[in-house]
Amino acid sequence: MINQQRVSPRRRLAYAGIIASSFFLSACDPISLTALGIGASTGVNYGLNSVAYKTFTAPISTVNKAAVTALKTMGIKIKSIEKTSEGQVIIAQSSDREIELTLEAVSKKTTRLRSIARQGTFLMDRATATEIIFQTEKALVGDRKVYVGA
């Protein structure tokens, strides 16, 4: 004989609520993954379109020198360096990616670096954009005169 227990209406309602909420909460997975990523952040921030950002406690000329060193270390050829009203833009090219680095002077001693790596017209390469920032930071820390901020 199988022992069948009656499930109370309250418990059935609770089960139904859990099942129904699982359908609605499945759309929140990107939110939870983003929260997890923020918790394990390495100091590089991202826009929704895979653009990497980092602020350095260093003058724009020092960050520019470090960014150029980073690109050369990575074997990426610099096409141009242009001055803008906010700072500088470095355009570079690898075999199949176009790189754009924007340096913005936040203050005389602080610079924000924005890194974009495009592969074709629509594809963005977040990993390469991030690695350029890491290599720039490595060049700055190697200089030992600069403190790197998040």
Side-chain angles (χ1 to χ4, degrees):
M1 219 177 203
I2 299 175
N3 185 7
Q4 293 182 349
Q5 295 179 349
R6 284 198 78 181
V7 178
S8 71
R10 182 179 257 184
R11 187 166 278 193
R12 283 185 191 180
L13 184 60
Y15 289 145
I18 290 170
I19 291 170
S21 67
S22 69
F23 290 114
F24 296 115
L25 293 177
S26 65
C28 293
D29 194 42
I31 295 170
S32 66
L33 292 175
T34 300
L36 180 64
I38 290 170
S41 178
T42 56
V44 177
N45 296 316
Y46 301 96
L48 292 175
N49 53 359
S50 295
V51 176
Y53 299 90
K54 185 160 178 81
T55 300
F56 297 98
T57 307
I60 195 166
S61 60
T62 305
V63 176
N64 180 0
K65 181 181 171 186
V68 168
T69 300
L71 292 171
K72 288 180 180 178
T73 299
M74 296 175 71
I76 299 173
K77 297 184 189 227
I78 297 170
K79 291 170 56 176
S80 67
I81 299 175
E82 302 170 8
K83 291 194 177 207
T84 65
S85 59
E86 295 85 24
Q88 299 174 353
V89 176
I90 300 172
I91 304 294
Q93 182 80 42
S94 70
S95 59
D96 63 342
R97 287 167 178 73
E98 183 173 313
I99 311 298
E100 179 182 319
L101 302 179
T102 304
L103 288 82
E104 175 188 351
V106 176
S107 70
K108 289 182 180 182
K109 296 181 179 182
T110 307
T111 305
R112 180 176 184 231
L113 174 61
R114 181 180 80 165
S115 177
I116 302 172
R118 289 186 182 90
Q119 186 175 7
T121 305
F122 299 108
L123 297 176
M124 305 290 267
D125 183 357
R126 183 175 179 173
T128 301
T130 302
E131 184 62 21
I132 291 168
I133 288 181
F134 285 151
Q135 292 297 323
T136 301
E137 182 175 14
K138 185 177 177 183
L140 281 171
V141 172
D143 203 13
R144 299 202 189 262
K145 292 182 257 176
V146 177
Y147 295 101
V148 180

